Amino acid sequence: MADAAVISVSRLPLARTRAGSWALPASVMLVAAVSPFERALPGSIFGLTLTTVEMAIVVALAIGAVSWMREPSAFEWRTAITFPLVAIVAGAFVAAFAAPEFRGNALRVAARLGVAAMLFILVANVGRSDRLARQICAALLAAAALVGAIALLELAQVPWVLNALKQFRPGFHVVGGQLRATSTLFYPTITSMFLEVAFALGLVWIATSRLAFAGLVLTGAGVIATFTRSGLITIALSLAVYGGILFLRRRQLGRRSLGEGGWSGEHRRLALLAAILVALVLMSRSPQMLLARMSVEGSQDWYGASYDVPQRLTVRPDSFNDIDVTLTNEGRLSWQSTAEPPFALSYHFLNADTEDLIVFDGLRTPFARPIDPGEDVTMKARVRAPGYPGTYLLIWDVVQEHRTWLSLEGVYPGRSVVSVEGTPVGAPLPSRGRMPSSVMRMPRSILWQTALTIARDRPLAGIGPDNFRHTYGRHLGLVAWDVRVHANNSYIEVLAGMGAIGVIALAWLLFAALRSGTRSVIDASDARLPIVAASFAACVAIAMHALVDSFLTFTPTYTVFAVAAGLLFPPTGDHAHRL
């Protein structure tokens, strides 16, 4: 029961403050609790649609504004990173107004950065109380544990869970045929980033609550379920940073009760948590899958095949035929028909003259044994011929059931010309349009090079925040491209979107954050040390993961970023002690 009271937001004892009684800290905890459960609200305000998370932030900021008007001296906006943050927000608006196109999108993103900065100030004022800071972390960890549990159920493909998650995103995501859990957020990497920060902040409870330990396990398991490489790295980094800070600072403070070698019960719990998460990683996927995920970037790198098939065939209408073919597995995954999701050889039929699709889902011929990378297999493939005479193109294709066809991953299929001769069986099959085109997923190196090219073209103010995704395809000569794709590096994204203005402000922020964060670690009291260590680890996780992904435009992630920074950088003004 005592542990349950630690995590349950409804039972958290909220201390009254001069700046708004219990309502202000409660509103901040509400923001933390609902941040991973974003859904659009019905209707709009001034033409803008708000989400559940945005509404919670608006409520918290409104309560903060009322509290400030009632007692201005109880609030302090000056922190170690306030001025750099203001510079970034101002630079975002300048870049948005100067954007050559998509100005409305850029202005919306600049406004979001402004909201994130205000939320940071609010959390910084509330979080200077150790007790309230811990309670904010508890609310966030409780939400993250729920997200992690849902991610595990999603990975197990529980039908009612998959159906319920359609309220948060349209479908599921895969890489190399492996399901990547998204839980209640929009994309697996966004889910991972949210959970990584919540995990680091939740470490503050590891020494005092068994329920929090279980929450950390679920949160870490959620990251594992997203199959995000950077997430696994940053979780390990958070454990190392948090444990290292506690070890070094407490030795410096002269605490000799830590036991032999300087390790405390807290460190033993950290080691146990790390061991459990490593075991979960090893059990989550096969060694081949884990190795492939760590060594390749996109789905196209997972698959490869070559087909040795007859050039011409003659068959009867609607006949079943066993055709000798030889395949070579040139990818990184074994083709297995007995494991989920299974591989099989299949085919498509096209009209020989127009190449319009006639039959998409051909019969499946399973592999008698696993075909490992580099191996050949000769087999008899079962093919059912179209029922109407004519000349067709038989497109040979390997399918990974419920995941993908290799031709959709950029693998060139086998082709045979088939003459169907004899008495028709039924009417001609109608055309079903063209074959689906392969999905081109740009590797990070290409995206980064494109962003740098854009930055060279507009070096001062860039093309506007978040406008890279709307324009990168044009620079690559594409007619159509996925506008959900960012630069996959937050720093390069800022360079392309905000130019030198943004980069200078961002460099100032990083320098100020590193200097102040290090000073906070050095100066932290024994009581305050866990909060400082956890929030420092969270900020390190953000900075490191930002090297390979972009998160600044998503409400759940900029919300959790503001919470982490607010807990690490308390107000520095003359009245900072008064809340």
Side-chain angles (χ1 to χ4, degrees), residues 19 24-25 43 55 71-72 103 221 232 266 404 419 435 447 452 459 520 522:
L24 182 56
M55 182 57 71
E71 191 172 357
R103 188 171 298 167
L232 301 178
E266 197 162 2
T404 191
S419 297
M435 272 283 293
L447 294 173
L452 293 175
S520 296
I522 294 173

Side-chain angles (χ1 to χ4, degrees), residues 350-577:
L350 310 182
N351 184 297
D353 296 325
T354 64
E355 295 203 2
D356 285 342
L357 183 63
I358 303 299
V359 174
F360 182 72
D361 268 308
L363 300 178
R364 270 51 166 178
T365 302
F367 298 105
R369 60 176 179 82
I371 310 303
D372 293 326
E375 284 191 343
D376 299 335
V377 57
T378 298
M379 57 194 298
K380 289 187 177 295
R382 174 58 63 98
V383 175
R384 183 178 184 179
Y388 200 82
T391 302
Y392 300 87
L393 289 179
L394 174 58
I395 305 300
W396 301 93
D397 207 352
V398 173
V399 60
Q400 190 175 24
E401 299 290 358
H402 313 299
R403 294 293 187 267
T404 191
W405 295 80
L406 266 60
S407 65
L408 298 182
E409 301 294 337
V411 178
Y412 192 74
R415 296 167 70 95
S416 301
V417 177
V418 177
S419 297
V420 178
E421 301 176 356
T423 305
V425 178
L429 292 173
S431 169
R432 302 177 59 185
R434 308 293 290 183
M435 272 283 293
S437 59
S438 61
V439 179
M440 180 56 67
R441 299 176 179 89
M442 293 296 172
R444 282 182 171 86
S445 58
I446 298 297
L447 294 173
W448 294 348
Q449 290 172 15
T450 305
L452 293 175
T453 299
I454 292 173
R456 283 196 297 267
D457 293 340
R458 294 184 62 86
L460 182 60
I463 57 173
D466 193 46
N467 281 349
F468 172 83
R469 62 190 179 94
H470 291 291
T471 59
Y472 76 92
R474 187 187 312 150
H475 290 267
L476 292 171
L478 303 177
V479 176
W481 58 90
D482 191 344
V483 297
R484 299 170 300 174
V485 173
H486 294 76
N488 277 250
N489 181 301
S490 295
Y491 307 105
I492 296 178
E493 179 92 22
V494 169
L495 175 63
M498 297 169 57
I501 295 174
V503 169
I504 292 171
L506 181 59
W508 183 13
L509 173 65
L510 294 174
F511 174 76
L514 180 60
R515 183 178 62 177
S516 178
T518 304
R519 177 54 57 187
S520 296
V521 169
I522 294 173
D523 295 341
S525 64
D526 194 31
R528 183 73 178 176
L529 185 59
I531 289 291
V532 172
S535 53
F536 188 90
C539 290
V540 169
I542 294 168
M544 294 303 295
H545 200 153
L547 290 169
V548 291
D549 282 301
S550 304
F551 300 103
L552 297 177
T553 60
F554 304 106
T555 308
T557 46
Y558 78 63
T559 297
V560 76
F561 292 175
V563 171
L567 296 178
L568 182 58
F569 305 108
T572 57
D574 295 336
H575 304 288
H577 64 284

Side-chain angles (χ1 to χ4, degrees), residues 14-29 63-64 67-68 71-77 120-133 136 528 566-567 569-579:
L14 303 179
R16 290 184 174 273
T17 71
R18 294 187 180 185
S21 147
W22 56 268
L24 182 56
S27 68
V28 172
M29 290 177 219
I63 293 174
S67 302
W68 172 74
E71 191 172 357
S73 62
F75 265 83
E76 179 56 62
W77 59 270
F120 158 74
I121 296 296
L122 197 63
V123 175
N125 278 272
V126 173
R128 54 192 169 187
S129 161
D130 290 353
R131 179 175 55 176
L132 293 179
I136 293 171
R528 183 73 178 176
L567 296 178
F569 305 108
T572 57
D574 295 336
H575 304 288
H577 64 284
R578 298 188 58 179
L579 182 62

Side-chain angles (χ1 to χ4, degrees), residues 47 63 85 96 122 150 200 216 220-221 239 257 287 312 330-331 333 352 362 387 391 393 430 522 562:
I63 293 174
L85 278 177
L122 197 63
I150 294 172
L216 288 165
L239 290 168
S257 59
R312 301 193 66 90
E330 297 180 350
L333 302 179
T391 302
L393 289 179
I522 294 173

